[in-house]
């Protein structure tokens, strides 16, 4: 059954900063993202990583379950950045699109609402030189990806698929497994519309983080019962959040969709159904 949401009103000039109570999630262990000394070690929920220096060479080691890697790094000095990154890199680059299915929402004619869904997260380890140039060193994930197809094989988009509940307020999440996606949904039709999924292009997944959460924002403009445009927004969901380093590499043409015209910068047009 679709959830009936009647959040309406005029468009605000500035986005509200989200606040929420973290008490219910106090028992969740929180992963520490941020900037660290180059010789740094992590031992957290089965993940161990470290950078040691030996005879002028830095040596990186990482293990998470059966996934292990070691790398040698030559640099004079620098820092280690550990940031949440877009969940579209492991076990290899299969797609540039994330599809999130959620409990369907009924939105009234010309109505607006704001909801939150969860999305999977990956953890990026970056090297940053003294000059400020950064380079991805490693990416790890606690969640093995699942893939789907939005549309059909002759006209569709390969997506990384994730199922989420839908929330009116930001839920507490394990910040090493999940991030929040804030959806600002607007129904520009003159009839009731059901929506139960969004497809977002990786370029639009601009992540921010703080000591509790990682999050991204997107707008969803519904123009017919079966068509909506999803646009990633470079904006934190609340004040004081830090922008995460990007892994996305801009391409002139992405090989993971076969419907020309659906993709425009950070916007993806869903014209093959909203449920």
């Amino acid at each position: 059954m679709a959830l009936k949401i009647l959040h309406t009103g005029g468009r605000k000039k500035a986005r509200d900063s989200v606040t929420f109570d973290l008490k219910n999630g106090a028992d969740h262990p929180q992963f520490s993202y941020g900037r660290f000394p180059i010789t740094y070690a992590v031992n957290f929920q089965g993940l161990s990583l470290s950078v040691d220096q030996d005879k002028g060479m830095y040596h990186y080691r990482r293990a998470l379950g059966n996934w292990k890697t070691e790398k040698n790094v030559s640099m004079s000095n620098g820092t280690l950045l550990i940031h949440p990154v877009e969940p579209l890199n492991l076990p290899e680059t299969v797609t540039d699109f994330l599809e999130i299915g959620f409990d369907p929402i009924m939105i009234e004619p010309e109505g607006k609402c704001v909801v939150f869904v969860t999305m999977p997260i990956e953890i990026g380890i970056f090297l940053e030189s003294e000059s400020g140039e950064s380079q991805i060193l490693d990416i790890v994930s606690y969640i093995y990806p699942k893939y789907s197809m939005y549309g059909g094989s002759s006209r569709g988009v390969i997506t990384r698929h994730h199922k989420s509940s839908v929330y009116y307020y930001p839920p507490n999440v394990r910040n090493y497994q999940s991030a929040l996606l804030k959806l600002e949904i607007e129904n520009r039709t003159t009839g009731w519309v059901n929506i139960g999924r969004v497809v977002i292009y990786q370029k639009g997944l601009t992540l921010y983080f703080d000591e509790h959460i990682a999050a991204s924002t997107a707008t969803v403009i519904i123009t017919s019962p079966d068509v909506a445009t999803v646009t990633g927004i470079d904006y934190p969901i609340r004040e004081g959040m830090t922008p995460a380093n990007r892994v996305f590499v801009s391409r002139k043409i992405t090989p993971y969709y076969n419907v020309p015209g659906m993709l425009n910068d950070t916007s993806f047009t869903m014209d093959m159904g909203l449920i």
Side-chain angles (χ1 to χ4, degrees), residues 166-215:
V166 63
Y167 304 90
Y168 305 111
Y169 302 98
N172 294 299
V173 295
R174 291 176 171 86
N175 71 342
Y176 54 97
Q177 292 179 328
S178 302
L180 299 182
L181 178 62
K182 179 184 178 183
L183 297 176
E184 301 175 355
I185 307 174
E186 180 178 351
N187 176 13
R188 292 187 178 175
T189 77
T190 56
W192 286 85
V193 173
N194 286 322
I195 183 169
R197 60 178 167 178
V198 292
V199 177
I200 185 168
Y201 179 41
Q202 183 177 9
K203 186 178 178 182
L205 283 172
T206 305
L207 287 162
Y208 286 78
F209 68 91
D210 60 19
E211 66 273 22
H212 298 294
I213 59 168

